[in-house]
């Protein structure tokens, strides 16, 4: 298993070093610094083997986190753990930065002691950890009951929720957040398109509520024979969608999903990500980008880009930004656009065109003249034109059908819970070559 | 005031100051001081001098302070073992604390203090904690057993902790179960003792599967990893495990998903044949694998490395998911490079899309990435014939870009395309020649030279081109020099009149002015060839070359199978077995095996790659054995030749780079060139003559008074001298008086005497093992040859090899240990009791024949070169323990019914149809173990054709 964990600043100075196994010596710390951090090349792999010792690293802002081992460990586990470690630290003290880590080094050691025992990751759920490890030191007086409650939660079957939570108002917020990714050829052929969606919940519910969640997944609907229900037609005009694959928060009973295709769970308290999914079929692409590039001689280029919105006219897209890369030898740019603002940013080698909002089924265009310095360098490989936006619907066509809450022990019913649902579609990598 | 101040370096005398603060009465000041100590420790300063002072702070109610002191203890206890004992009392006391958090903390920390003396004190508290009422303490104690085992394995076994740990597998708390599994797995991985092995039966498996649904994500990984080592009893059990693991594929933790994939990939092997179950399971595997590619880049990388393995093993899984491997502009470079894994699965249908994508990549910035893209285009061309033309035109486009490294890579690739599709795309040669100047990498230069030499007759100025290379001959790398030599000889043979000068020039450069033995020897051979018999030279140098195949970038099947067992682990990231990077891992081999597959249901990759290997290898080995081994001068030459031709060692032929073509040319050269070198008046007569003398030699070797009854194949060189520091081993197998022997000839080609010979076999399909020690007259002085016979037993450890008859041998002498492998002729394993029933009682045979399903019958035409009659055949076969049970005559054809038995109890039944006066006959074999059939067929042919 994991033999040790080190945290470095950008200079390669050690901020945290915890060694779990004898086979990892102090020189391992230096080996990583010299061979990876100071190597100054592009990192060719997140796994490095130096003198029969393997280093796994991730980098967050300018902090390096590295796990060391001499054994044949589960690599998936190690990286998942490192990411989890980052998540835990963030929830304790916010941004991962050198200062924050130095300020909280005692806390970090304490956390490491708890969540990584002899290199084996243990329960690392922040809501539980926070019940007995706090930034202000250990809670001084803990009653005996509280103690056993803590231990049963850490090891318990429902390790993500503590008992005895109470709210005056039982409320639920449900966000369907989708990133739509597109790679389109200049001729308008879709090379690849997929939606990576997340369902993020904020739950403020008392007791140990049992939840059941339903979406317009084709598989489920076909099973219950309701796929033709006309009232369920979504913004994109589809009644049900085909989900390629989905993953769930650990609270969801996976075996139940496998057999009955029902999503049932006892939710953690507060905010968490219930589900991730991916679809590739019948995605309604909110925007179409049509580029026209013409080279006029060796020192001039003309670029015209048209964007077309492709959704219901009653909806509004926001925060639209189109980024048009320009050659490295650009000397000057003249931009003309009817709507929004466009600027040439020399430092980023791109024309950035921003539109605050845009309705559905509209069209807008920008044209630019780019002056080039004569250069004899090899042909410029034009990066794709990328786009950012936010739309108030789910491009995959996903709809929440229901979210039922049952709490058998307390006296509130499904009707008493206030539920909020919101759909946000954002651009992921939305590129046109 | 923040804690970061502790990291600032203070002036001299710091330690002394800290000492004072640690002993202060004020609690706050004490805590501050300890924090400072820990901060210094983190930065790497040595604060061990403060040991007694810090330990004094241990007795405190403040849990935070306590934890800090423990942290210090864990770090420095090893350097101050005696002082560490001072802390023991506190630990023991804490283990009795009412607060379970403190009890657990004490046990956890104690395990981390790696001092031998402390372990004695640890046993009692640990025993109690393993039975603690609180699950939190139990789960901590479970891990502590693994820690203790790491310090003192014997103690853990003696104290019965292993049993206690096994009991925890049925604990009511899932996290305790998970930690116990993790601890047991680690112990059984590192411990050689059988008592420490983790036995898993159906019952434990069920418990684990139950806990799987309930424990934390990490626990699920521990359990899945343990499950993957379990060997199910039958396919029903394998199927049910797979069914219960499948839901894990929807977990959000990539580690859980990958470990589940591992269990399923192994499970599918056990379920066996391509059943519907396997097909559906394969379908279910695809989406989660694709989903992994949208996680963090590091996880993506691990996933991609694993997908590479999975796709090689089961290409069907992702064949529809091509697009997800298209590289995104912003991906980190390692993810981009890894996306290459998918390209071997290019097919005719998706090739257009793939090519367009590859061409796009080839214009990227990163040099490595671009090179790989170009290489991939070439691979597509070789793999998908229909697309070759488009690939070639794409490559030409790329060459037009004149980007140096793109051009070079493209030329290397085009050379391979020429090899694959000869006489098809030569029209582009002129374009290639234009770029001659810009090539500066050996690979590219060698490739270009090869192209010029190979197609010299179509290039008008080939001589000028080659001559231009000749100027800086000595500055070139060996690869280019060799290639240039061959190319010029080719050119000479094609256009002898105008290039005589050139060829003389290169030959003298290679033979007189070069220090490189490879180059010199090749030069001499060409020289002599050309001077003695130009016609033969033509045949040798311009011989037809074997086509190259597209599978060169695949992992070796055995390695692949091993790596499949390590999905998700580091081994799968490195694509190396754990023994290659983990110390002390060699002990544990047992868990790396995939189950033995029945050949019928395996049309896939292994079957395909298996067969060409022995076929290819055989002719070469035969040629080697033709050489009379007592001619010393000849032997030396042979040694050098071998070092040249076998330069890419057999294992490497499987590896990523396609073997450079000149080696193939070299093979031809070896075969043909020898004839003329032997100097006999008629080169054709050389071969049989030497074979005859060889036979005679064999007779002498075997001349121990017993004439061998079974067919003995001629000796083959198993271990050429250059690979074994001068030791040459050749050998064969034989049966004499019911004892199996390995007959070896050891030859010392080195300058110093050799001694201390010993031999050992790896596990093999039929459990062959040496029955006695190797008796070699010692010392074996330089130039001396020794014939040795080694009696063999068949009760050694068994492991299915690939190819089936492969035997890996390690031979040791006073110099080093050498490894080689050879093929066991299957008739060596026929037993003398292979007569099923008896001649008079044919019922047994008939019943067995009917009992074996028809699907297990394989028919083949085999040669009967001497047109022997049934009686002759039957007698001949009987000498090799193939027994005739019955004989009858149908429509003028004789039918022989025969049986044989292998040492491991496998029966093979045969029906032999003999047409009088026909050079072939029909052999039908029926057996339950289909794997042996090709070998038995071969054995029939050999036995009938020989003697």
């Amino acid at each position: 298993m994991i033999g040790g964990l080190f945290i470095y600043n950008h200079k390669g100075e050690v901020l945290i070093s915890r060694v779990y196994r004898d086979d990892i010596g102090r020189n391992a710390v230096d080996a990583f610094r010299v061979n990876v951090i100071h190597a100054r090349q592009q990192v060719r792999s997140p796994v490095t083997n130096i003198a029969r010792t393997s280093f796994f690293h991730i980098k967050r802002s300018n902090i390096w986190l590295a796990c060391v081992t001499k054994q044949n460990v589960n690599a998936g586990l190690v990286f998942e753990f490192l990411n989890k470690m980052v998540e835990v630290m963030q929830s304790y003290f916010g941004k991962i930065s050198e200062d924050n880590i130095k300020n909280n080094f005692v806390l970090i050691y304490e956390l490491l002691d708890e969540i990584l025992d002899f290199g084996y990751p243990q329960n690392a759920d922040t809501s539980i950890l926070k019940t007995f490890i706090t930034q202000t030191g250990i809670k001084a007086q803990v009653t005996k009951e509280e103690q056993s409650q803590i231990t049963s939660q850490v090891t318990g079957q429902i390790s993500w929720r503590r008992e005895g939570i109470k709210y005056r108002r039982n409320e639920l917020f449900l966000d369907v957040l989708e990133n739509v990714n597109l790679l389109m050829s200049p001729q308008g052929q879709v090379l690849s398109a997929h939606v990576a969606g997340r369902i993020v919940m904020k739950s403020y519910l008392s007791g140990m509520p049992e939840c059941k969640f339903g979406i317009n997944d084709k598989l489920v609907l076909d099973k219950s024979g309701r796929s033709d229900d006309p009232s369920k037609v979504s913004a994109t005009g589809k009644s049900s969608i085909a989900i390629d694959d989905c993953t769930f928060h650990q609270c969801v009973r996976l075996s139940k999903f496998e057999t009955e295709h029902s999503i049932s769970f006892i939710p953690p308290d507060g905010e968490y990500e219930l589900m991730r999914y991916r679809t590739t079929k019948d995605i309604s692409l909110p925007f179409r980008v049509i580029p026209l590039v013409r080279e006029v001689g060796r020192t001039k280029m003309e670029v015209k880009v048209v964007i077309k919105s492709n959704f219901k006219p009653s909806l509004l897209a926001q925060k639209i930004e189109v980024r048009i890369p320009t050659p490295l030898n650009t000397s000057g740019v003249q931009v003309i656009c009817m709507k929004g603002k466009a600027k040439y940013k020399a430092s980023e080698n791109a024309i950035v065109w921003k539109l605050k909002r845009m309705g559905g089924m509209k069209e807008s265009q920008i044209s630019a003249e780019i002056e080039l310095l004569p250069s004899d360098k090899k042909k410029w490989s034009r990066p794709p034109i990328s786009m950012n936006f936010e739309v108030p619907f789910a491009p995959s066509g996903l709809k929440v059908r229901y979210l039922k809450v049952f709490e058998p022990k307390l006296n509130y019913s499904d009707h008493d819970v206030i539920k909020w649902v919101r759909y946000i579609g954002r651009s992921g990598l939305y590129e046109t070559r | 005031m923040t804690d970061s101040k502790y990291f600032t370096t203070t002036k001299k005398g710091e330690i002394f100051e800290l000492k004072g603060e640690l002993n202060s009465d004020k609690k706050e000041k004490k805590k501050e001081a300890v924090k400072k100590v820990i901060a210094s420790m983190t930065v790497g300063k040595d604060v061990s001098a403060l040991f007694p002072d810090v330990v004094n702070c241990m007795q405190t109610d403040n849990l935070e302070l306590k934890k800090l002191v423990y942290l210090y203890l864990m770090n420095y206890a090893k350097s101050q073992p005696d002082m560490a004992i001072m802390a023991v009392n506190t630990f023991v006391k804490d283990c009795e604390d009412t607060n379970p958090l403190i009890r657990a903390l004490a046990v956890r920390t104690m395990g981390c203090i790696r001092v031998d003396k402390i372990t004695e004190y640890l046993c009692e508290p640990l025993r109690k904690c393993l039975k603690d009422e609180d699950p939190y303490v139990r789960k901590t104690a479970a891990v502590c057993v693994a820690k203790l085992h790491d310090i003192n394995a014997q103690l853990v076994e003696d104290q019965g902790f292993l049993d206690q740990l096994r009991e925890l597998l049925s604990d009511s708390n899932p996290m305790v179960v998970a930690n116990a599994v993790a601890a047991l797995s680690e112990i059984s991985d590192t411990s050689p003792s059988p008592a420490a092995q983790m036995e898993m039966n159906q019952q434990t498996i069920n418990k684990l599967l139950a806990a799987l649904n309930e424990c934390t994500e990490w626990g699920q990984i521990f359990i899945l990893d343990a499950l993957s080592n379990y060997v199910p009893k039958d396919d029903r059990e394998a199927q049910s495990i797979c069914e219960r693991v499948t839901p894990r594929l929807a977990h959000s933790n990539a580690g859980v998903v990958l470990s589940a994939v591992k269990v399923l990939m192994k499970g599918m092997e056990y379920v066996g044949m391509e059943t519907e179950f396997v097909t559906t399971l394969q379908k279910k595997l695809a989406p989660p694998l694709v989903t992994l590619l949208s996680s963090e880049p590091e996880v993506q990388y691990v996933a991609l490395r694993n997908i590479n393995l999975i796709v090689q093993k089961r290409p069907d899984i992702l064949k529809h998911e091509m697009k997800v491997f298209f590289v995104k502009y912003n991906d980190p470079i390692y993810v981009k490079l890894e996306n290459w894994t998918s390209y071997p699965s290019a097919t005719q249908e998706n090739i257009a899309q793939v090519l367009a994508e590859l061409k796009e990549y080839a214009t990227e910035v990163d040099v490595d990435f671009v090179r790989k893209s170009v290489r991939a285009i070439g691979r597509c061309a070789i793999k998908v014939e229909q697309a070759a033309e488009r690939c070639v035109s794409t490559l030409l486009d790329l060459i037009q870009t004149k980007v140096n490294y793109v051009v070079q890579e493209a030329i290397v690739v085009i050379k391979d395309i020429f090899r694959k599709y000869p006489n098809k795309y030569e029209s582009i040669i002129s374009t290639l020649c234009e770029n001659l100047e810009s090539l500066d990498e050996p690979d590219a230069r060698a490739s270009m030279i090869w192209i010029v030499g190979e197609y010299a007759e179509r290039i008008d100025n080939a001589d000028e081109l080659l001559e231009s290379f000749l100027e800086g001959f000595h500055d070139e790398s060996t690869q280019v020099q060799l290639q240039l030599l061959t190319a010029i000889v080719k050119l000479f043979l094609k256009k002898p009149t105008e290039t005589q000068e050139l060829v003389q020039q290169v030959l003298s450069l290679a033979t007189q002015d070069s220090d490189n033995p490879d180059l010199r020897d090749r030069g001499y051979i060409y020289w002599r060839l050309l001077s003695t018999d130009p016609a033969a030279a033509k045949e040798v140098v311009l011989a037809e070359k074997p086509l190259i195949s597209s599978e060169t970038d695949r992992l070796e099947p055995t390695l692949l199978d091993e790596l499949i067992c390590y999905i998700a682990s580091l081994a799968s990231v490195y694509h190396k077995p754990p023994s290659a990077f983990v110390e002390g891992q060699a002990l544990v081999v047992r868990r790396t095996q995939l189950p033995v597959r029945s050949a019928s249901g395996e049309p896939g990759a292994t079957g395909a790659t298996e067969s060409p290997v022995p076929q290819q290898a055989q002719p070469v080995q035969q040629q080697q054995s033709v050489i009379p081994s007592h001619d010393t001068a000849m032997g030396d030459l042979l040694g050098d030749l071998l070092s040249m031709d076998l330069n890419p060692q057999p294992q490497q032929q499987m590896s990523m780079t396609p073997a450079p073509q000149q080696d193939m040319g070299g093979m031809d050269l070896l075969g043909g060139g020898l004839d003329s070198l032997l100097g006999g008046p008629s080169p054709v007569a050389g071969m049989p003559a030497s074979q005859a003398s060889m036979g005679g030699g064999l007779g002498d070797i075997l001349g121990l008074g017993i004439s061998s009854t079974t067919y003995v194949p001629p000796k083959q060189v198993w271990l050429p001298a250059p690979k074994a520091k001068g030791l040459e081993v050749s050998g064969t197998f034989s049966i004499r008086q019911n004892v199996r022997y390995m007959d070896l000839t050891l030859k010392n080609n080195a300058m110093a005497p050799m001694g201390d010979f010993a031999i050992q076999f790896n596990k093999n399909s039929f459990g062959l093992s040496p029955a006695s020690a190797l008796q070699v007259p010692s010392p074996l002085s330089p130039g001396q040859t020794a014939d040795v016979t080694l009696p063999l037993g068949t009760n050694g450890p068994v492991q299915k090899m690939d190819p089936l008859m492969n035997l890996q041998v390690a031979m040791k002498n006073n110099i080093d240990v050498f490894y080689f492998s050879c093929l066991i002729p299957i008739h060596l394993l026929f037993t003398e009791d292979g007569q099923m029933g008896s001649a008079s009682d044919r019922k047994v045979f008939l019943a067995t024949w009917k009992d074996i399903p028809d699907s297990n019958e394989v028919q083949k035409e085999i040669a009967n070169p001497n047109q022997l009659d049934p009686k002759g055949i039957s007698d001949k076969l009987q000498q090799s323990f193939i027994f005739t049970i019955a004989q009858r005559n149908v429509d003028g054809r004789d039918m022989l019914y025969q049986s044989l038995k292998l040492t491991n109890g496998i029966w093979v039944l045969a029906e032999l149809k003999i047409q009088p006066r026909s050079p072939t006959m029909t052999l039908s074999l029926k057996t339950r173990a289909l794997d042996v059939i090709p070998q038995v067929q071969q054995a029939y042919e050999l036995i009938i054709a020989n003697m």
Side-chain angles (χ1 to χ4, degrees), chain A residues 15 21-22 26 44 54 72-75 80 103 109 114 117 120 122 151 155 191 245 247-248 278 433, chain B residues 2 4 42 44 78 114 134 136 147 173 179 186 250 253-254 259 287 291 323 334 366 568-571 574:
Chain A
L15 304 178
R21 307 232 165 186
D22 255 9
R26 181 84 203 176
R44 291 271 146 176
S54 300
N72 182 30
V73 299
N74 187 319
E80 281 288 338
N103 279 332
Y109 276 123
E114 184 56 45
D117 189 6
Y120 289 105
Q122 306 291 310
T151 59
T155 61
L191 293 175
D245 187 37
T247 58
F248 296 102
R278 192 167 49 79
R433 277 185 179 156
Chain B
T2 59
S4 58
T42 301
K78 205 147 193 202
R114 311 181 47 89
D134 196 295
Y136 183 77
K147 295 179 189 167
N173 185 297
N179 276 4
E186 174 164 349
N253 185 316
S259 291
T291 299
K323 279 189 183 175
Y334 53 79
D366 190 273
S569 76
L570 255 183
Y574 292 145

Side-chain angles (χ1 to χ4, degrees), chain B residues 667-839:
Chain B
M667 297 284 188
D668 302 335
L669 182 105
L670 175 65
L674 278 166
D675 297 346
S676 48
L677 281 175
L678 280 170
S682 66
V684 196
M687 294 279 266
S690 63
Q691 206 153 32
S693 77
M694 180 70 183
L698 254 177
D700 295 344
I701 297 164
L702 302 176
L704 306 164
I706 313 141
S707 66
S708 89
T709 51
T710 60
Y711 163 65
V712 179
K715 282 193 181 176
Q716 302 185 341
V717 177
W718 284 337
L719 183 66
K723 281 177 68 185
K725 307 197 173 149
L727 174 67
E728 182 184 291
V729 180
S730 50
T732 185
F733 295 92
S734 64
I735 305 186
R736 292 188 292 276
Q737 294 187 330
N738 293 339
V739 181
R740 294 171 179 80
Y741 290 98
M742 185 188 234
D743 297 316
L744 293 166
T745 302
L746 307 180
K747 184 167 190 319
N748 183 354
N749 281 340
M751 309 306 266
M754 297 179 182
D756 300 336
F757 284 93
I759 196 164
Q760 203 164 9
F761 294 175
N762 195 356
K763 290 181 198 165
N764 52 74
S765 311
F766 291 91
L768 273 187
S769 61
S772 71
L774 190 65
Q775 306 281 340
V776 184
S778 190
L780 192 62
S781 39
Q784 198 189 344
T785 308
D787 290 317
V788 191
T789 56
L790 178 72
L792 304 177
T794 52
N795 299 323
V798 177
Q799 175 188 2
K800 192 187 172 191
M801 298 301 290
D802 192 14
L804 188 70
M805 306 311 292
N806 200 17
L807 175 68
Q808 295 173 334
V809 184
M811 182 169 273
K812 193 195 87 128
N813 62 12
N814 56 337
I815 299 166
D816 202 348
V817 184
F818 310 107
Y819 301 91
F820 60 90
S821 63
C822 51
L823 295 176
I824 312 162
I826 198 163
H827 64 263
L828 184 76
L829 303 160
F830 298 167
T831 57
E832 68 276 10
D833 60 347
Q835 187 158 15
M836 185 175 270
S838 67

